[in-house]
Amino acid sequence: MTITSNDPLQPGYCYKLTAAVGQLDFKPQLTPRQMLELGVFGGNYFEGEIEEYPASWFKNAKLSNYGHDSHLNYFDIDASQTRQQWQANGWISPEDPRGWFQWYCRYFMGRRLPKEDTRQINRWRQMSRHLAQVQASCVPGDQLCRRRQRQALLHWAYDSRNI
């Protein structure tokens, strides 16, 4: 199956789905749908450009119609940087101009780009250091401890709610 993106950041971009939905080569703790329902990226990651993704992902998603709103994040705190900062740090690829979560959504749906997949999975693995810091610093179940770090972990499909 071929998907065509109508995203203004990537007009006319087409990609093939070559793997089964949810068939992953790494072990994220949350699906894109779960992340959106919990509240990530201030509810405005896709800026309304969601047509290429399953509608079911957005049925109960916490989305903003007015730009980034950190109150929509699960931990009610801003844990994001701007796309301009991501670009300056070299984290954005031409295949996914919105960043890691866009890559993850497309990967979850079945798109495979071996070089980019390896790069992004390695970036995901690097977030485990934040998981270790929360585990070492917080009493289990204290969701007020390191909220910014916990929210950042949610942005990377790590479920930090029960640490």
Side-chain angles (χ1 to χ4, degrees):
M1 174 181 209
T2 299
I3 304 287
T4 301
S5 169
N6 293 317
D7 189 325
L9 296 181
Q10 201 174 33
Y13 176 73
C14 296
Y15 59 93
K16 291 184 186 268
L17 303 179
T18 59
V21 172
Q23 178 184 339
L24 311 176
D25 293 330
F26 67 118
K27 304 266 187 241
Q29 297 169 336
L30 298 166
T31 66
R33 178 182 178 167
Q34 290 170 319
M35 293 170 66
L36 291 163
E37 288 175 355
L38 285 170
V40 289
F41 305 106
N44 196 44
Y45 186 87
F46 292 111
E47 299 172 324
E49 302 299 331
I50 60 174
E51 295 82 18
E52 74 183 84
Y53 307 103
S56 63
W57 288 7
F58 300 92
K59 184 177 177 188
N60 296 313
K62 292 184 179 180
L63 301 176
S64 171
N65 294 323
Y66 307 104
H68 183 92
D69 180 355
S70 61
H71 297 297
L72 292 173
N73 287 341
Y74 182 84
F75 290 99
D76 193 27
I77 194 165
D78 190 10
S80 298
Q81 294 180 335
T82 66
R83 187 176 310 115
Q84 292 77 16
Q85 290 168 308
W86 298 347
Q87 289 168 328
N89 287 320
W91 298 334
I92 300 294
S93 70
E95 294 86 4
D96 302 303
R98 293 189 182 275
W100 184 87
F101 187 57
Q102 184 177 45
W103 168 84
Y104 178 45
C105 291
R106 290 171 170 175
Y107 183 86
F108 190 90
M109 289 177 17
R111 184 191 70 178
R112 294 297 182 267
L113 303 171
K115 184 177 177 184
E116 184 62 9
D117 296 348
T118 298
R119 183 180 84 86
Q120 294 289 17
I121 291 169
N122 285 336
R123 292 182 67 222
W124 172 82
R125 284 189 178 113
Q126 291 172 3
M127 288 301 291
S128 67
R129 73 183 186 277
H130 294 284
L131 189 62
Q133 289 172 347
V134 171
Q135 288 170 326
S137 302
C138 299
V139 173
D142 179 3
Q143 292 192 9
L144 296 178
C145 179
R146 294 189 175 233
R147 290 183 316 146
R148 183 182 198 61
Q149 209 164 19
R150 287 175 185 266
Q151 185 66 45
L153 285 163
L154 281 180
H155 290 180
W156 286 83
Y158 284 94
D159 191 350
S160 62
R161 294 174 295 167
N162 297 317
I163 299 171

